[in-house]
Amino acid sequence: MTAVRPSLRVEKRLLGAGRVTVIGMDEVGRGAIAGPVAVGVAAVTVDVGRVPQGLADSKLLSASRRDALVPVVQRWAPTAVGMASAEVVDRQGIVPALGQAGAAALARLAETGVSLDGAVVVLDGSFDWLSRAVPAALLAGVDPLDVVVRVKADRDCASVAAASVVAKVARDALMVAAHEDAPHYAWASNKGYGSTAHYDGIRSVGTHALHRTSWLHQASSVALDGFEELGAVG
């Protein structure tokens, strides 16, 4: 598959309209049945350099290419990743979990020295799940944080593509590490998504603390077998 090359066209338009910082944001793991949902951010300003060669939406890149891109992206722009656990997904639902992970990513970005004053978030998708989740304390003393939603922003906005890459690599690393403790779920290969081997492991040994049990209960109502490819990428 040929990767679509993202550009800074949207970011430069927003910067030209007076924004100080454009923060690309994307989620990873929304469709998984195990593990956290992760949200990545990448912040660009008017002096941003050329888009890193080979940067694309993380779903269009091989694992090795994503891994190689992370240090390049981190030199190109400040980045951060926030996560919300499977427990949060079960207890509060996926939308609040995304909001919590996004707010955590913004907080970590601010800790690196990126000011949120005069910033705008470009959020991949068609629904703003972020705004209500950002705590007032994080925005104390700054202008209200605007959020622009854009369908397929991870394909055409370089900051959002960068955010998707750092989030995907961070979440995948967590799931690979978890595989050592629970190899029967094949997390090293499926990263918590619903593969055949993953469901076989659930049938064989039951669930793990990293499983989103409410999602498995929903799946069991129509038989696990019909959900083997649920969320195979993301």
Side-chain angles (χ1 to χ4, degrees):
M1 180 182 293
T2 301
V4 177
R5 180 172 174 80
S7 73
L8 288 165
R9 179 178 57 84
V10 172
E11 290 89 340
K12 287 185 175 180
R13 174 169 55 79
L14 291 167
L15 292 167
R19 298 296 181 181
V20 177
T21 308
V22 177
I23 301 171
M25 178 177 285
D26 197 16
E27 57 80 16
V28 173
R30 183 172 188 155
I33 60 171
V37 64
V39 172
V41 289
V44 300
T45 55
V46 69
D47 60 351
V48 63
R50 182 176 298 178
V51 176
Q53 185 175 5
L55 179 64
D57 170 19
S58 63
K59 294 186 291 295
L60 302 179
L61 300 171
S62 67
S64 61
R65 184 58 186 151
R66 289 192 298 264
D67 289 344
L69 271 171
V70 167
V72 177
V73 164
Q74 291 173 333
R75 289 192 295 270
W76 176 68
T79 66
V81 177
M83 297 193 188
S85 68
E87 181 184 3
V88 171
V89 175
D90 276 336
R91 188 175 65 249
Q92 299 185 29
I94 188 62
V95 171
L98 287 169
Q100 286 189 32
L106 287 177
R108 291 191 174 96
L109 189 67
E111 290 171 358
T112 70
V114 174
S115 174
L116 301 181
D117 196 14
V120 59
V121 173
V122 178
L123 178 61
D124 179 57
S126 59
F127 174 69
D128 177 8
W129 40 256
L130 175 69
S131 294
R132 291 186 178 182
V134 180
L138 184 59
L139 302 178
V142 307
D143 291 335
L145 184 70
D146 286 341
V147 176
V148 174
V149 295
R150 183 178 176 87
V151 175
K152 295 185 178 179
D154 51 2
R155 302 282 182 105
D156 56 24
C157 297
S159 64
V160 182
S164 77
V165 168
V166 295
K168 176 68 172 169
V169 170
R171 186 184 183 281
D172 281 1
L174 185 152
M175 296 309 298
V176 169
H179 175 91
E180 299 300 317
D181 177 58
H184 25 271
Y185 302 115
W187 286 336
S189 60
N190 63 54
K191 311 303 189 295
Y193 289 92
S195 70
T196 299
H198 192 167
Y199 283 115
D200 285 347
I202 295 171
R203 293 187 188 94
S204 174
V205 301
T207 60
H208 186 277
L210 283 176
H211 278 112
R212 302 175 188 177
T213 54
S214 62
W215 292 37
L216 292 175
H217 292 159
Q218 292 170 21
S220 66
S221 67
V222 289
L224 283 174
D225 292 302
F227 285 77
E228 289 178 349
E229 300 306 322
L230 176 65
V233 296

